[in-house]
Amino acid sequence: MKHDLIHHLEKFIPVSEDLRARVDQISMPLNLVKGTYLHKPNRICDTTYFINSGLVRVYYRKGEKEITDNFAGDGEWITSIYSFLKNVPDSCYIQTLTASRLTGISIQQLEKCFADFPEMERFGRILMSTYFLEQSERIISLRFHSAKERYDFFLRTSKNKMKHIPLGMLASYLGMTQETLSRIRATK
């Protein structure tokens, strides 16, 4: 699993033998069953997770309703970004939707790695920029695009995740009712 993470890092930065050894040292491999919670509300999320394989979602509860905020799959990262960066409790859940192989790194270890390896700090900036752009695209999509356009965009950018996401969770993520999503899918 650690090899998957190193390979991922090498797509963005040069990975020296010293950095490779540090990443091996601070990485926590996890093999999780479907339905495992990585984070629950009112706790500080002090770990970020690289997804070697599997599918994970971030969601919130409003009363009895679950509102899906994000999905992450193979080769992506997941954490409660607000809690992770601010070191405060938050109100999100992070849960595996499939059996998943993850690599976890604590914020303390990651900060030390950033301080010791400028290339890792650069990787962190690239990762945060990517996350910011994805969130900006999502906000624009939710505010200005039709339900069909949002679904089509998700199909184009995340088709590999579709078979593992229940319809209700996908509808919530796309900001529409399950009935609307069913009608859109029926026209395909």
Side-chain angles (χ1 to χ4, degrees):
M1 278 193 279
K2 292 178 183 181
H3 176 72
D4 293 341
L5 176 55
I6 296 295
H7 181 69
H8 175 73
L9 294 173
E10 288 174 332
K11 292 177 185 178
F12 302 95
I13 59 170
V15 178
S16 66
E17 286 305 314
D18 288 344
L19 177 54
R20 182 183 305 270
R22 176 69 71 84
V23 169
D24 280 346
Q25 177 190 2
I26 66 175
S27 297
M28 301 173 295
L30 302 165
N31 288 306
L32 305 173
V33 298
K34 175 182 178 178
T36 301
Y37 284 93
L38 301 170
H39 181 69
K40 289 185 177 180
N42 304 316
R43 299 180 185 168
I44 295 172
C45 186
D46 64 355
T47 304
T48 186
Y49 302 92
F50 175 73
I51 303 169
N52 298 285
S53 65
L55 185 64
V56 181
R57 79 168 172 146
V58 176
Y59 71 97
Y60 297 84
R61 286 188 190 260
K62 185 171 185 178
E64 294 299 312
K65 189 174 181 179
E66 292 182 0
I67 301 165
T68 299
D69 184 57
N70 195 13
F71 296 106
D74 299 2
E76 297 178 326
W77 292 83
I78 194 88
T79 194
S80 168
I81 197 77
Y82 185 82
S83 179
F84 186 73
L85 294 176
K86 302 271 291 175
N87 195 36
V88 296
D90 69 358
S91 57
C92 82
Y93 296 81
I94 303 176
Q95 181 185 36
T96 59
L97 293 181
T98 63
S100 300
R101 292 182 321 112
L102 311 177
T103 303
I105 301 176
S106 75
I107 186 70
Q108 296 83 7
Q109 292 297 327
L110 190 59
E111 289 286 342
K112 289 177 189 172
C113 193
F114 285 167
D116 295 342
F117 297 92
E119 61 271 35
M120 267 304 281
E121 188 173 39
R122 180 174 184 273
F123 172 76
R125 285 194 312 272
I126 292 169
L127 194 62
M128 290 306 297
S129 295
T130 301
Y131 176 80
F132 177 76
L133 290 172
E134 288 171 356
Q135 291 302 323
S136 295
E137 285 175 348
R138 180 148 186 263
I139 290 167
I140 290 167
S141 178
L142 287 170
R143 293 188 72 198
F144 301 110
H145 297 148
S146 70
K148 183 180 181 327
E149 289 170 328
R150 293 193 303 270
Y151 177 72
D152 289 344
F153 181 77
F154 188 82
L155 272 181
R156 279 193 314 276
T157 60
S158 302
K159 189 170 189 135
N160 60 326
K161 299 174 187 173
M162 285 293 292
K163 64 183 171 194
H164 300 293
I165 300 173
L167 197 62
M169 289 179 193
L170 181 58
S172 170
Y173 175 76
L174 295 173
M176 62 183 78
T177 65
Q178 195 167 332
E179 294 76 18
T180 298
L181 180 56
S182 292
R183 279 193 300 275
I184 292 169
R185 289 168 51 116
T187 63
K188 293 274 175 201

